[in-house]
Amino acid sequence: MNVSYYELISVGNLFKSWRAYKKGKGHKADVVEFERHLEDNLFSLHNQLKGGNYRHDSYSHFKISDPKKRDIYKSTVRDRIVHQALYEYLCKIYEPVFIERSFSSRKDKGTHKAVLTLSKIARDFRKNGKKCFAMKCDIRKYFENINHQILLEILQNKIQDDKVINLLKIIIESFNKDVGKSVPLGNITSQIFANIYLDKLDKFVLEELKIKNYVRYNDDFIVLDENEQKLFADIKKIKTFLKDKLLLDLPKEKITFHKLNWGIDFCGCIVLPNAVLIRNRTKRRMFEKLDLSFKKLNAEKISLNDLKKVLDSYFGLLSHINSYNLKMKVKNIFISYRFS
């Protein structure tokens, strides 16, 4: 049974959402300022939500390169607590119904699990002596083209509480880059909205097209088949579904055809029939981020424990690919730093 609106906005739940949101952000100026009057701020937020007077504040904007240039829109601490509460609420409803092979922004998933799954599919084709063809697809400007009305209709299929729907509507419509569409990179709610929206695609692929070999990470997905003609026909149906049902575009230049022996480029790795290699661009980004983390440690902006978490995340990825020399290089950089 879904949590009621009043449980969602209770002072206790707002405190819980604050603690979840604050992790790793305790040194940031806006977080420190909000915490100075924490109880007053949370009780005020609760009263606004309870009285129907809550309005979302405007966003601040900045750009990042990761590696592509991206526009990030940051909401206020007050609003991000509401986002956190709604994120937890939606996860409880939707995680049980999401498909197993959707890997973005989900607990115990991630890029390395996506690559590992694709690698297993590739090995199964090879083991069974079958040909393997793959189509890698990337939806054009996905976050910018999520339609607000369609998203709300999808949410209403599972959420009957009008007050919760109204709060979700406030959050969705708080971002006005394009009228009636777009969710901002930077909101935790945008991550789950993105998965909820494309869950319609996942179900279409698995239940209607009966495609078994399908892996999705955010708006990138791969379909594999031993029959080349069937693969092209399925992608055509997927393209039509995205356009007609979700108002999303899958242009020709965002669809790439692969034979397994050529290698399949996915989530920063190259998946081959009997190996997984890390892409050169991914290596460069990894060492750039490690260098930045060491500099932050020197400047006392992060702790040694924070650095270890960064290293653990990379070793988690490298543990699933053929990368002994790369792992030793990362370890040696860390050791040389500790004894320098």
Side-chain angles (χ1 to χ4, degrees), residues 97-152:
V97 301
F98 284 154
I99 68 164
E100 185 180 348
R101 289 184 178 177
S102 163
F103 291 92
S104 176
S105 304
R106 295 180 62 193
K107 187 178 179 182
D108 299 325
K109 296 285 187 175
T111 54
H112 65 281
K113 291 281 182 71
V115 170
L116 193 63
T117 299
L118 181 61
S119 177
K120 183 182 182 306
I121 294 171
R123 288 198 310 272
D124 287 344
F125 270 99
R126 184 170 182 268
K127 184 172 63 177
N128 295 325
K130 295 179 179 178
K131 291 182 179 179
C132 180
F133 304 101
M135 285 287 199
K136 181 187 173 187
C137 304
D138 179 4
I139 296 168
R140 188 181 72 85
K141 295 183 178 179
Y142 174 50
F143 279 79
E144 293 181 28
N145 286 294
I146 292 176
N147 182 276
H148 292 176
Q149 187 57 43
I150 293 174
L151 176 58
L152 280 166

Side-chain angles (χ1 to χ4, degrees), residues 76-89:
T76 64
V77 174
R78 162 186 169 271
D79 291 323
R80 279 178 277 169
I81 293 167
V82 178
H83 288 248
Q84 185 71 43
L86 281 171
Y87 173 79
E88 300 291 346
Y89 173 89

Side-chain angles (χ1 to χ4, degrees), residues 149-181:
Q149 187 57 43
I150 293 174
L151 176 58
L152 280 166
E153 287 171 3
I154 293 170
L155 291 165
Q156 285 172 319
N157 287 334
K158 285 200 172 290
I159 301 167
Q160 282 72 51
D161 191 321
D162 290 340
K163 291 185 182 296
V164 175
I165 289 294
N166 186 59
L167 181 57
L168 286 164
K169 189 171 186 284
I170 290 170
I171 299 301
I172 292 166
E173 294 180 351
S174 66
F175 189 61
N176 297 311
K177 185 179 178 184
D178 291 300
V179 177
K181 65 179 183 179

